[in-house]
Amino acid sequence: MTASDPDPRARDAALLAAYAAGDAAAARTLVEAHAPRALALATRMLGRRAEAEEVAQEAMLRLWRAAPDWRAGEARISTWLYRVVSNLCTDRLRKARTVALPEDYDAPDDAPGAQAQMETDERADALQKALAELPERQRLAIVLRHLEERSNGEIAEVMELSVDAVESLQARGRRKLRELLGAIVE
Amino acid sequence: MTNETDRTEDEGLEAVFARARAAAPAPRPAFLETVMGDALAEMPRFVPQHTAAWTLGGMLRALGGWSMGAALGGAAAAGLAMGYYDPAALGPSLGVSDGTVLSASVDEPLLGFLGEEES
């Protein structure tokens, strides 16, 4: 006889409650389950591993602080965390665009800093560069669907949009990626 | 034709995505340890794992330990016995050999609890 899988929200709430009660094992479980996801999304959005680690660490810090007040049934940790990461990434990207550069500033190579740490696979680099060309919301919708493999329902929750709006962003994003990636896609 | 082209290109794009998923680098151990360090630092003050309140040990601790628990238990048992047994059966314990209830003044507060055979 097998018990049915507990509701993910209830499971997440129980884990956070255990963490808030001082359970170090619960902390380890949460780190292993969620820190890599936060880092993966931040890396895809920002393209720079060091920056992505800062964002992911900050997002996890907010999770620890939210744990004592986490209410069962409110949200899944993954959904909540993706939303925090995407907001932090948006903040960073906006600041990067508004910082004034000196006149004689030689703009650094736009290649993502993560390039040094990612595989030398030409296609992986090309994808990351192409993602960087997409508007942020298209990039987020594409990354969550095709790289993080989240459902469009969850993506809609993360982005606080309707599922239709998410699918529209993804369709436009894919069209743009096909143009940018060209021969690689064939 | 456009739909077929789109489908083919989507398959090509999906292949690119699949390769990217497979090639995703794992987090650095140092990063994970940093996050774990934050978790422990932010953890509400650790509460020692005492016996839960609903266990016998937890209840005894709440009462003041085994000695108090034993005293209360004995008092409870005596109270149950007084309410359950025929007063006549308690005669020997009260120093009365024939079961006669000891007479007492009407001021005795416990008289009303000794049954019908009061003298």
Side-chain angles (χ1 to χ4, degrees):
Chain A
M1 179 171 62
T2 58
S4 57
D5 284 341
D7 172 32
R9 284 178 170 79
R11 196 173 56 228
D12 284 350
L15 208 48
L16 282 170
Y19 163 79
D23 186 344
R28 175 67 66 182
T29 301
L30 288 162
V31 170
E32 290 173 355
H34 297 290
R37 278 193 192 140
L39 179 61
L41 178 60
T43 303
R44 290 296 181 187
M45 291 300 292
L46 299 174
R48 292 172 178 80
R49 177 54 72 103
E51 258 196 284
E53 285 188 355
E54 286 175 11
V55 163
Q57 183 185 354
E58 173 63 26
M60 293 300 291
L61 201 53
R62 294 187 186 195
L63 179 65
W64 309 136
R65 292 173 180 163
D69 300 319
W70 192 276
R71 288 177 298 183
E74 204 168 81
R76 291 179 60 179
I77 295 176
S78 59
T79 308
W80 185 93
L81 204 54
Y82 280 136
R83 190 182 300 152
V84 170
V85 169
S86 68
N87 289 341
L88 289 170
C89 288
T90 297
D91 289 346
R92 290 224 174 197
L93 290 167
R94 283 184 188 157
K95 276 182 194 159
R97 281 197 293 273
T98 59
V99 169
L101 298 174
E103 268 185 20
D104 56 352
Y105 180 77
D106 185 18
D109 180 0
D110 213 22
Q115 187 173 351
Q117 300 185 47
M118 289 173 69
E119 286 186 20
T120 55
D121 188 338
E122 199 177 282
R123 288 191 173 95
D125 294 342
L127 175 61
Q128 186 58 44
K129 286 179 184 171
L131 283 170
E133 296 290 320
L134 295 181
E136 282 163 38
R137 281 157 41 112
Q138 286 180 22
R139 189 184 324 160
L140 181 60
I142 291 280
V143 168
L144 286 173
R145 181 81 182 101
H146 296 290
L147 296 176
E148 294 301 303
E149 299 185 284
R150 314 314 294 182
S151 70
N152 278 348
E154 184 175 5
I155 297 170
E157 272 191 75
V158 172
M159 299 184 70
E160 297 178 290
L161 296 172
S162 67
V163 171
D164 283 346
V166 166
E167 289 173 351
S168 172
L169 285 169
Q170 289 165 347
R172 284 182 274 151
R174 281 194 295 267
R175 202 174 307 130
K176 183 71 177 172
L177 284 177
R178 286 199 296 266
E179 288 172 21
L180 291 168
L181 291 171
I184 292 175
V185 170
E186 291 169 13
Chain B
M1 183 180 294
T2 304
N3 284 345
E4 200 168 310
T5 307
D6 283 348
R7 217 172 7 250
T8 305
E9 288 180 336
D10 267 350
E11 285 169 5
L13 198 51
E14 182 49 42
V16 172
F17 290 141
R19 280 191 292 270
R21 286 193 300 268
R28 294 185 308 121
F31 164 73
L32 293 175
E33 287 310 312
T34 299
V35 174
M36 186 65 194
D38 287 345
L40 296 176
E42 294 291 327
M43 186 178 285
R45 196 170 294 280
F46 176 68
V47 176
Q49 296 296 311
H50 282 313
T51 312
W54 51 263
T55 62
L56 178 60
M59 286 191 283
L60 285 172
R61 190 173 295 108
L63 288 172
W66 277 101
S67 56
M68 281 302 295
L72 282 171
L80 276 173
M82 285 180 191
Y84 181 77
Y85 287 111
D86 183 343
L90 295 175
S93 66
L94 296 176
V96 177
S97 59
D98 61 356
T100 307
V101 176
L102 295 173
S103 61
S105 75
V106 294
D107 292 331
E108 189 58 50
L110 290 178
L111 263 185
F113 294 94
L114 293 179
E116 295 175 1
E117 294 183 15
E118 295 176 32
S119 58

